[in-house]
Amino acid sequence: MSLVHDFERVGSGLDEDDVVLVDGVNTVNSLDAAAPELLSVETNIRQASRGRGHLVCVAACNDVVVVATSRGYVLRYQWDDYGNEKVTEVEVVKGGAGGGSGSFAGNDTCVTALYMDPTASHIIITARVQGMAETHYLHHRWSKARPLSKLRGTRVTCVAWPPPAPPALQPQQQAKSHTVQGRGSSKKDEDGGAEPAAWLSTECTGPVLLGTDSGLVHEIVVDAEKWAAKKEPHAPRQVLDLRDARKEVHTIEQGIPLPGDVGRLVLLSTSHALYALRAASPGLPLEALPEDLQPSKPSITTQADPPSQMLFPIPPVLEAPVPSSLPSPQQRSSAPHPHFNQLLLLHTHPGSYDPTRIAWRVGPLVYHGELSHAATSPPPKQPPSAAPPSASSFAAAAALEGHNNSAVTASNSSGVQGKTQHPKPQPGEGILRAMEVLPLVAEATDAELLEGEGEGEEELRSMVMTQFHFVVLIADRLRAINRVSGRCVAEVGFRTPLLSARTVSGLPGSRAVDGLVMDPITRTMYMYSDESLYEVVMRAEARDMWRVFLEKQEWDAALQMCHSPAQRDEVHNTTAETMFTAGNFDEAARHWAKLSGANPPFEDIALRLVSAEAPRAIRVYLATKLALLKANTARALDRAGSDPVAAQLGRGSPQGLASASSLLLASGACAQPQHAQATMVASWLTELLLDSINRELLESGGKPSPGYRAAEQQLHDFLCENVDVLDVGTTTGLLGAYGRLEELLTYAQARGDHEAVLEALLQRPGGALRALAVLRKPSCPRELVYRFAPALMADAPEETVDALVAANPPLEPRRLIPALLRFASPASPIAGRQAVLRYLTYAVDGPPRCQDSAVHDLVVALCALADDEAHLLTYLARARSASGAPLYDPKYALRRAQEQNKDKATVRLLCELGMHTDAVRVACAHDNLNLAKAVASDAPDEDLILGGPESGIGGKTVAAVSPSSTRRRLWLAIARHVVQQQGSDADGPDQAARQTGAIKQAVDLLKEAEGLLKIEDVLPFFPNFVTIDNFKDAICDSLEQYNKQIEHLKTEMEEATGIADAVRADLVTLKGRVAAIQAEQACARCGVGLLMKPPTSALAGLPSGGALPPLYVFPSGLAYHGACCAAEAQALMAPALRTRLRKIMTRLARTQPALGQQQHSSLPPSSQPLQRQSMSSHVPEEVKPAGGEGETQALVAELHQLVASEDPRNGEMQVQLLDMEYVDPKEDSAEAASWRNV
C-alpha cells in the first residue's frame, strides 16, 4: 500500500504545527488483499481558514461545510454541481486570538461551537466574549451574524433542530410563515402568543431546542425574514429543567415522529444518563413518554413559565457509569474538544429523517442499538445488525459499578484490543432495542479506567457512525471499529517531521488531529487540523460483514451481506454443518440444498442424510434443491433474452422446461445440465412421496387416515408444481407401478395432456361429466371434442348437448354427425333423440346458420321418427335457402317419410320432386281427397292456352285447357278414383243411392276443378247403365259454357280485325313522314355538318360511303351521319352483334351508291334522310359487295334494325347499359384506372 505524504503550509511563513503527514492506511482483519482501502484520508481544502487563524470547530450538512477560526471568523464553503467552490466569510466576534491551537485554552474571546441545520440555511454559533457566553445566529444569505441577546450569559452546549417539513406540507408551512409575518404588528404577536412554525424551512428555524450547561432546555424560533426587518425573535421558552447533580445537557436530538400523531421524540443526554421525552407541541414543556415506555426513577422538573414549576418522575432510558476523574464543566468548556458525551443517530437513507440506529458515546464507551419509535412496533427494517447482548456481555460495566475486575480480551497485532465486557445498561422497553456496549480505546486495567489514567477519554477526540462502523479520532490516529465484531478493521496514523509538533502518544513524530465531523445528509466525513480540512472516505465497508455475521452465527444476516455465490456457499455450508451437528437435520438439508457449487457433492450430502436416518430431511433437501434448480434455469432464460418462455416456465407452463432448455442451447446458454439434474431430483422425490403414502397406509391398517390424505395431497401438489421438470415416461411408470390411478389423472391434467385425461375419465363409470368439464376449458383443443363426442353422447347425451350448444365459437355440426347418427334409428332412446334434435335445431337456425345438406338430412330423419307429423312438415317448410331451394335432400327425405308412413310429408316431398301424379295417387290411396285436390290445384301446368269468354283487348284472360294439361290429368285421376271407389261399393240394396252420390260428387268435382274438367271427361268413368237424367244439369251447364266461349271468340276476332286495319293505316302514314333539318346542323357524335364527310376518328374503325345510309334523324331531334350512328350504337352492342354490324356495313360500303339511292322506303319509320351523299370508303377485298338490289335492300333493312331502331343516346339500350364503364380499359387503360380510383 502506497504512502501518502500530505504537507500543509498556510501563509508566507512556516508554522511548526502546520505540517501533517498521513501514514499509509493499515487495514486490519481484511479478507481480501486485493480489495481497496477501507479507510482513506484525502485533502479537501488546504487553507480552510484563509489566513484567519487556525480552525476551532467545523460543522457540515447538506454538502455545505462551515468552519470557525480562532480569530472569530466563520467561513462557509459550498460547491456547485461542477465542483466550483464558493466561500462566504463572516466575522462573528472581534478580538479573537490568532495564535496556534496551543493558545486556545487561554483565549477569552473565541467561537466555541457551530450548529448547522439539515437544510444548511441556519447556523447557531456559540462564543465566549471576554469570558461571557454568547449565542449568535447566522442565515446563509446574511453577511453578518446577529447575537441572540436573550441568551447572553447562558452557555449553550447542544442544539436540536426540528425536521424539515414533508413535501406535501411545504406549501402550507410557507403560507403559515407569511401569515405570521403579516401579523407582525398585532398585539398577540408582540406578546409572544403567535403560534410558532412547527417545521424547519429555509427561512424559519422552527422550534429549536437548546441545551445548556445548567441543565435547562430552551426552545426558540428564529425567523430570518422577520429579523431582517428589524424584529428580533421572542425570548427563548424554557421547556425542561433537570434537577440532578449531573445536570449539564451534553447532546440533544429531536424530530422523530411518534405513532398516533402525539408529538415528537426528544432524546437528550447528560454526563451519565440518556433520556427520552415527548414534545407534544411547539412551545409546550417536554413531557414524559407513555407509561409503557417509562422505566424509573430520577426526578426531573419541567418548567413552562417561571415561577410555576412541575416535577415529573421521568427515568432515563439508559444509564452509564462515569469515572470519578472526569473534568469539571468549567474544564470541559475551556477544552478544545468538549466531546466527552456524544449522541449519534443513523438514518435509513442519506437525506431522510427516519433514524433507525442510535449510538451514545460516554467517554471511551459507546452504547449502540436499534431505535424504535413505539413500544408495540417491530424493530425497523434495516441492514443486519448485532444480535441482542447476552448477560455476560455487560460484565465489565458491572465491574465498574461494583469495583470488580473483569477479563479483557487480548489485543490484536495492530495494538487494538478486541471487544471488552462492560457494564450492562438498563434499556427502556420499546425505545432502545438490541443495545450493546463497545469500548473504543485500549484499556490497561479497570482501575486505570476508573482513575482516568492511561489511554483515556482525553485522547478520544470525536466519533462518527456509519452503517457498520464507528470511525473514531483518537489523538494522532483514526480508527474504523466494526460495531458488530468490536474489532478495529482499519487505522490511519498522523505524524509530522517537525520536532516541536503536538504529540499525545509519546511516539516520535506523532501528530494530533483536532476533530472529526460527519455530514448527516450526504454521510461525508471531514477531519480538520490547524488550517486544513480533510475528507475521510470509507469504501465498501460492507465487504467483509458476511464473515463477521458468520462468526457470530447470525446466518440470515450473513446471507444478506454476501456479494458472490462463493460467499453464499460458504455461509450455507457452515450453517448446514452446524445444524447437522446439533441434530437439526431439516435445516441442515435446506441449507445444503442452496449450495450453487459442487463442494460438497450432491451424492455426499445425500449419503450423509441417508446415514442419519432422516427421511424427512432427505425430502426437504430434494425439494429445496429442485426449487433452486428451477429458479436458476428461469434466470438463465431471462439472461438469454427468452422472457416469454421464462415467464411460462415460472408459472409452470405445460410446454415444460425441455423446450425452454432447447431454446437456451440454441442461444448459447447452458440450461440442459440444470434440466437433467432437476429431472433426476424430481423423479427421486416422486418415489419418496409414493413411499410415504404407502407407509401411511400401512400404519393405518389399510384405511385412509388424515396422514394418508395429507401425503396424497402433497403428492398431488408436487405433480402439479413440477410438471415442467418431471420426465413423462418415468413419472407415469412410477405412478402406474404404485397403482396411483388418480395421481396419473392429476399428472396428465397438470401437463396439459387433455387427450390422456379424457381417455382415463371415459373409462370410469360416470366420468363423462368430468370429461365435459375438461372439454370446456379454453386450453382444450377443439379436435378432442369431435373425437370424444360419440362416447360422450352415449354416456350423457343431454349434458353433452348442453356443452355443444354452449361452445364458443360454435362447433362444426357436420363433424359431429358420427356422434349424433346413432340417435337416428327407431331403437334409440327418446330423450337422447330429443337432445340431439335440440342441438341440430340450434345449429341449423344459427347464427351462423348451417346449410350443410347432411346435417339437414339428419334433422329430417329425427323429425320423421317423431309421433307427430307436424314437426316434419314444419321443418320441410322452413328448411329453405334464400332462393327457396330445399337445404335437405328431397329424395332421402321422401324415403325416410315413406319408411315412417308419414303420408302428408310423402305427398309434399313428391310434389317437390315434380311427381304430382304419384302424389295424387298416394293421397287417393289413403282416401285423403282434400290432400289430392290440393296437389292438383297447386301443380304447375305448362299446357295452358290463353282464352275464354272475357278475353280480348283490355279484357281478362282465362285459361283454356289443352287435352294434355298436367293439372287436368291430376283432376281426371281424382275423378276416376272417386267414381271407381263409389262404383266398387255400388253392389247391394243401396246401389241406386250410391250411384246418385257418386254422380253428385263427380259433378261437385267438376266445379272444384276450375274449368279444367268437363262433363264429357267424367262420363267414361261411369258404367254404361247409368242414365243421362242424372247428368242433365251438368250437361246443360257445359253446353251453355261452350256457347259463351264461341261468342267470346267471335268478339275477339272482330277486335283483331279492327286492330289489323289500324296498323296498316299507320304504316301507310309512316311511309310519308318527313323530318326537316338545317343544312348546317352538326352530327351529334362527331360535330361535323351532316352534309359533310364524317372524320375517320369518329367512326371507330367502321366503313362509310357506298350504299350506306348517309344520315339518320330521330324524333328526339338528334341527327347522325350513317356511319357515326353505327359507331354510336356499336359501343352498346354485344360482341356478336358488333361483328354482324361490321360485316353488313362493309358489304354496303362496297356496293355502288346508285344501288342505295332508291332505298328511301327502306329507312326506319322513325327517321327519314333528306339527302344522300356518295362517300368513298375503303372496303376490304375479301368482303364482297351486295349481289343485287334485293340483297342490298335486305342488308339496309337489317342495318336499320341494328342501328336506327332507337336513338342511341335516348333509347332503352342506353338505360340498360348504365353500369357500363365510360372508358374502355382496352382502349385507354390509364384513363380507366383513373376513373376507378375516383
Side-chain angles (χ1 to χ4, degrees), residues 1112-1187:
Y1112 289 105
V1113 180
F1114 295 93
S1116 62
L1118 296 180
Y1120 303 85
H1121 292 108
C1124 290
C1125 185
E1128 190 78 13
Q1130 175 186 277
L1132 306 177
M1133 293 181 180
L1137 293 179
R1138 292 181 184 179
T1139 303
R1140 179 59 182 166
L1141 175 63
R1142 186 175 294 274
K1143 290 181 179 180
I1144 293 173
M1145 293 184 67
T1146 302
R1147 296 189 64 183
L1148 290 176
R1150 180 71 174 170
T1151 305
Q1152 294 297 327
L1155 297 176
Q1157 290 180 357
Q1158 300 177 3
Q1159 306 301 326
H1160 291 276
S1161 61
S1162 64
L1163 292 176
S1166 60
S1167 62
Q1168 180 68 32
L1170 301 180
Q1171 181 180 359
R1172 293 184 177 86
Q1173 178 180 357
S1174 176
M1175 302 179 184
S1176 61
S1177 63
H1178 174 71
V1179 180
E1181 295 181 358
E1182 63 271 17
V1183 180
K1184 297 180 179 180

Side-chain angles (χ1 to χ4, degrees), residues 695-711:
R695 189 181 303 108
E696 291 289 343
L697 192 60
L698 291 175
E699 292 177 356
S700 61
K703 298 180 180 180
S705 63
Y708 173 78
R709 298 298 184 190

Side-chain angles (χ1 to χ4, degrees), residues 1077 1081-1086 1088-1090 1094 1109-1114 1116-1126 1128-1129 1203 1206-1210:
I1077 61 174
Q1081 184 173 348
C1083 175
R1085 176 178 175 84
C1086 64
V1088 179
L1090 293 176
L1111 54 89
Y1112 289 105
V1113 180
F1114 295 93
S1116 62
L1118 296 180
Y1120 303 85
H1121 292 108
C1124 290
C1125 185
E1128 190 78 13
V1203 174
E1206 59 181 357
D1207 188 349
R1209 295 189 178 182
N1210 296 283

